[in-house]
Amino acid sequence: MVSVSPETWFKNAVVYAVDVEAFNDSDGDGVGDFQGLTQKLDYLDRLGVSALWLLPFYPTPNRDNGYDVSDYYGVDPRLGTLGDFVEFMDEAEARGIRVIIDLVVNHTSDQHPWFKAAQEDPDSKYRDYYVWVDERPPPDPERATVFPGEVEDERVWTYDEEADAYYYHRFYPFQPDLNLANPDVRAEIYRIMKFWLELGVAGFRVDAATLMIQPKHPDAEQLDDPHEVLRSLKRHAVARRSDAVLLAEADDAPGELESYFGDGAEMDLLMNFVLNAHLVAALATERAAPLAEGLERLPPADVGQWMNFLRNYDELNIGRLPKDLQDEVFERFAPDTDMRIYGRGIRRRLAPMLDGDERRVKLAFSLLFSMPGTPMLLYGDEIGMGEDLSLPGRTSVRTPMQWTDEENAGFSTASEDDLVLPVVSGGRFGHEEVNVAAQRADAESLLNWMERLIATRRESREIGEGSFSVIDVDHPCAFAHRYDFNGNAVVCVHNLSDGKCSLEFDLDLVQGDALYPLLGNADHTRHDDGSCEITLDDYGYIWLRLHRTGAGASRRSASESGQQSRPEGPRAQSESR
């Protein structure tokens, strides 16, 4: 058996993204809290996830879902106390569940004491914690707001009367950017990281990583080494915890992404926005080509890992797709303008996008979990929750978790008017129809299937650590790929269309090799010439394990002796038939 290094635990992890305030309310005030999350750790343990990613839970005016932080060393009183957080961490550790938290240090709230001090005294050291100018610079298309249509006149400089100066912000005006070129600011960030690492967190999701490495002052030139700020975060993280991971929100051009891994000295994981858009496009068009193109656009990830997802808390960003493909995705998954946001995104949950068709939902998650990288699941997607488009902006996909068909979906005993957000009620995706309790009792439910999927992925080290290749199949709606690792292989085949398809391709099988299914129920037949024939139903899928024995193992070992274990990261390589 090959041992697993603690420092690479994330390669075979399954991450569950959860918003504490929307998950479970323990005290009946209408807001989810850490005690409520602790109560649901057994549910998450049974689901099989190995790590949680928590949205910001710090004290905040809460004008941007907690991303406007006013104190980096505490817990928002609505969500509990620091003691509640410590108890939660102890209980998560007891179940072997790691916790990753958001590190929101590109900006603060305008209510943070640092900004208050910067406003009050131009000679205070805190003045240089932010970016100020006396005259508002002209608009710069390279430094536009990240929320087009939501920020007045699209500018990123706001006048502050108390300071008699303009301050810089790429997000909302109430989120002034920190001056990360200031060594004192970086020292503050290192102290924040040390504090939470010593409380047991396994790492950080670095919010707005792409903006952190860009020059902020209008007179500043491009830094000689813009990534040093991210590398310094890694150095300080591993100094406190050797297996700490950094997950970057790096929504950058594909050609720039490899630099975020920094030859192993920077980010461990990157949120895979490129593959996300192309995977959704493949589901929308029911063609494999967009998925293959998305994989081809990714640079190698030899020293890190991609974090793959279908949905997250924000909009589903398809802005990097070609315009004609964007139009196809919008037409299929967001035909009404109210379903769209920022001109680039979709503000819907996955299950409604797929018309509640469980075959398509399972196909989508099977594809996601079989992609090269670490899969991430948004809370509630394991039961097929829907969205509430009557809510503004991105809050449409942040409604409370649906535990039962009872009042408030079992999320809270508070009155409906006191809930942090309304629960989804009525219709195909209302909590009366879609909830954990009902699906737990149904052996064929999406929830119970997701448990099997998660277990299968965690058992399949080939996907997390093996060499990846695309298998050439003569069918536009089918996608097949394989991973080779330690002499064995996992082969995954998916049919993106609503019609059956039959495929035959060479797997280089020899007598004595074992081939058996891990997931899915497609018909498969092996032939004496080493090939395999697979027949997939509508939206069908299958994962197969190829176990080398005897002559096959010997030949494979000899062929691999001069190869790297992961030669091209996620780059697609074709295998001829």
Side-chain angles (χ1 to χ4, degrees):
M1 176 178 289
V2 178
S3 62
V4 178
S5 169
E7 284 71 29
T8 59
W9 63 265
F10 57 88
K11 289 194 172 183
N12 289 294
V14 174
V15 179
Y16 189 88
V18 61
D19 188 352
V20 177
E21 73 172 14
F23 203 60
N24 187 43
D25 172 20
S26 71
D27 57 10
D29 66 353
V31 181
D33 46 52
F34 272 106
Q35 288 189 12
L37 178 57
T38 302
Q39 292 168 2
K40 296 300 183 180
L41 280 172
D42 285 338
Y43 165 80
L44 296 170
D45 189 28
R46 176 171 173 175
L47 184 60
V49 299
S50 48
L52 303 180
W53 160 32
L54 304 185
L55 251 66
F57 51 80
Y58 314 104
T60 172
N62 205 29
R63 299 178 66 186
D64 183 24
N65 209 50
Y67 282 92
D68 47 331
V69 178
S70 58
D71 177 6
Y72 288 106
Y73 296 98
V75 172
D76 191 303
R78 299 176 311 125
L79 310 182
T81 66
L82 196 58
D84 294 334
F85 176 83
V86 172
E87 181 180 358
F88 157 73
M89 290 297 302
D90 289 343
E91 293 294 328
E93 182 180 7
R95 292 163 178 80
I97 298 175
R98 289 178 166 89
V99 178
I100 297 171
I101 67 173
D102 254 299
L103 184 66
V104 189
V105 291
N106 176 71
H107 53 266
T108 71
S109 166
D110 61 2
Q111 300 304 303
H112 195 287
W114 298 343
F115 191 72
K116 291 292 189 182
Q119 289 175 300
E120 294 168 0
D121 182 2
D123 297 322
S124 165
K125 74 170 187 175
Y126 295 107
R127 187 68 163 226
D128 197 37
Y129 273 36
Y130 299 88
V131 183
W132 302 88
V133 293
D134 293 329
E135 300 291 335
R136 173 184 274 176
D140 181 351
E142 298 298 319
R143 299 182 184 183
T145 175
V146 299
F147 298 134
E150 289 196 16
V151 177
E152 185 180 358
D153 77 15
E154 305 295 307
R155 295 200 183 185
V156 295
W157 294 93
T158 291
Y159 180 69
D160 182 78
E161 291 188 2
E162 187 170 2
D164 189 25
Y166 294 85
Y167 63 87
Y168 182 70
H169 56 87
R170 287 294 298 275
F171 290 86
Y172 295 107
F174 54 80
Q175 292 167 307
D177 270 35
L178 284 166
N179 177 14
L180 298 175
N182 183 344
D184 289 341
V185 171
R186 295 195 192 186
E188 296 277 10
I189 295 171
Y190 306 149
R191 283 191 284 272
I192 294 165
M193 295 173 67
K194 176 184 175 183
F195 178 84
W196 293 105
L197 286 167
E198 292 186 347
L199 289 182
V201 304
F204 302 93
R205 173 190 172 271
V206 182
D207 182 61
T210 300
L211 301 184
M212 289 176 66
I213 64 174
Q214 296 176 355
K216 300 188 176 190
H217 196 280
D219 296 331
E221 298 180 357
Q222 182 64 41
L223 302 174
D224 292 336
D225 189 2
H227 282 262
E228 169 55 23
V229 63
L230 300 182
R231 281 197 302 276
S232 71
L233 299 184
K234 176 65 174 178
R235 288 196 301 271
H236 282 80
V238 298
R240 289 291 164 186
R241 177 170 175 159
S242 63
D243 66 343
V245 301
L246 296 183
L247 161 65
E249 183 195 23
D251 193 359
D252 211 334
E256 300 296 324
L257 293 175
E258 187 176 3
S259 63
Y260 288 86
F261 292 120
D263 294 326
E266 200 165 323
M267 300 291 106
D268 301 287
L269 291 153
L270 300 186
M271 295 188 72
N272 201 345
F273 294 99
V274 173
L275 185 61
N276 176 228
H278 285 82
L279 177 51
V280 169
L283 295 171
T285 62
E286 301 193 353
R287 301 192 307 268
L291 177 55
E293 291 165 5
L295 288 164
E296 194 66 50
R297 293 185 70 189
L298 291 174
D302 300 328
V303 295
Q305 185 93 305
W306 301 105
M307 176 166 282
N308 302 321
F309 53 93
L310 288 165
R311 290 296 290 111
N312 61 23
Y313 299 103
D314 297 329
E315 74 277 9
L316 196 169
N317 187 350
I318 60 172
R320 293 193 186 276
L321 294 175
K323 182 60 168 63
D324 59 340
L325 196 52
Q326 287 185 44
D327 291 342
E328 283 192 76
V329 175
F330 275 136
E331 183 60 31
R332 186 70 185 271
F333 288 157
D336 299 333
T337 56
D338 187 44
M339 299 173 175
R340 308 175 188 180
I341 190 170
Y342 308 140
R344 64 177 182 241
I346 297 173
R347 62 186 203 103
R348 304 187 70 194
R349 283 258 188 177
L350 178 72
M353 284 168 47
L354 298 174
D355 300 322
D357 187 335
E358 199 163 288
R359 300 171 305 163
R360 297 170 67 193
V361 174
K362 289 179 178 178
L363 169 74
F365 279 115
S366 177
L367 269 171
L368 172 70
F369 274 65
S370 71
M371 288 293 101
T374 300
M376 186 272 282
L377 179 67
L378 177 64
Y379 81 94
D381 275 0
E382 72 272 22
I383 58 172
M385 273 178 55
E387 73 275 343
D388 184 349
L389 293 174
S390 71
L391 297 173
R394 298 176 296 176
T395 57
S396 58
V397 299
R398 298 171 178 173
T399 56
M401 182 67 177
Q402 296 169 196
W403 297 105
T404 70
D405 62 0
E406 299 171 327
E407 186 177 6
N408 296 337
F411 161 73
S412 174
T413 58
S415 65
E416 184 177 343
D417 292 341
D418 290 333
L419 296 183
V420 62
L421 283 173
V423 299
V424 177
S425 182
R428 168 67 182 82
F429 300 99
H431 71 274
E432 300 87 352
E433 298 293 327
V434 177
N435 62 75
V436 170
Q439 293 194 25
R440 176 64 72 222
D442 179 2
E444 301 303 316
S445 70
L446 178 61
L447 174 60
N448 285 311
W449 178 86
M450 286 294 300
E451 288 182 4
R452 296 194 293 274
L453 173 67
I454 291 170
T456 302
R457 172 59 183 85
R458 293 188 64 184
E459 293 168 359
S460 302
R461 288 187 60 197
E462 294 90 342
I463 299 177
E465 300 178 67
S467 59
F468 168 81
S469 58
V470 173
I471 300 173
D472 185 18
V473 294
D474 190 20
H475 199 296
C477 297
F479 188 80
H481 58 292
R482 68 180 285 167
Y483 299 89
D484 290 279
F485 182 67
N486 285 344
N488 297 320
V490 166
V491 177
C492 304
V493 189
H494 294 83
N495 175 16
L496 287 90
S497 74
D498 61 356
K500 285 189 176 183
C501 71
S502 293
L503 311 167
E504 184 175 347
F505 45 85
D506 184 20
L507 286 182
D508 193 27
L509 295 166
V510 299
Q511 187 174 5
D513 287 349
L515 184 69
Y516 54 91
L518 295 173
L519 189 75
N521 55 5
D523 293 331
H524 66 284
T525 305
R526 58 183 294 175
H527 299 301
D528 293 339
D529 63 359
S531 65
C532 180
E533 184 176 353
I534 295 177
T535 300
L536 297 164
D537 288 334
D538 311 356
Y539 306 115
Y541 57 90
I542 190 168
W543 296 17
L544 298 164
R545 170 161 283 130
L546 194 169
H547 179 61
R548 300 285 185 182
T549 60
S554 299
R555 183 174 67 181
R556 190 68 182 180
S557 177
S559 67
E560 288 183 342
S561 62
Q563 297 178 1
Q564 296 178 351
S565 62
R566 193 180 178 97
E568 286 296 332
R571 283 195 187 279
Q573 305 168 9
S574 293
E575 283 189 356
S576 59
R577 297 178 68 183

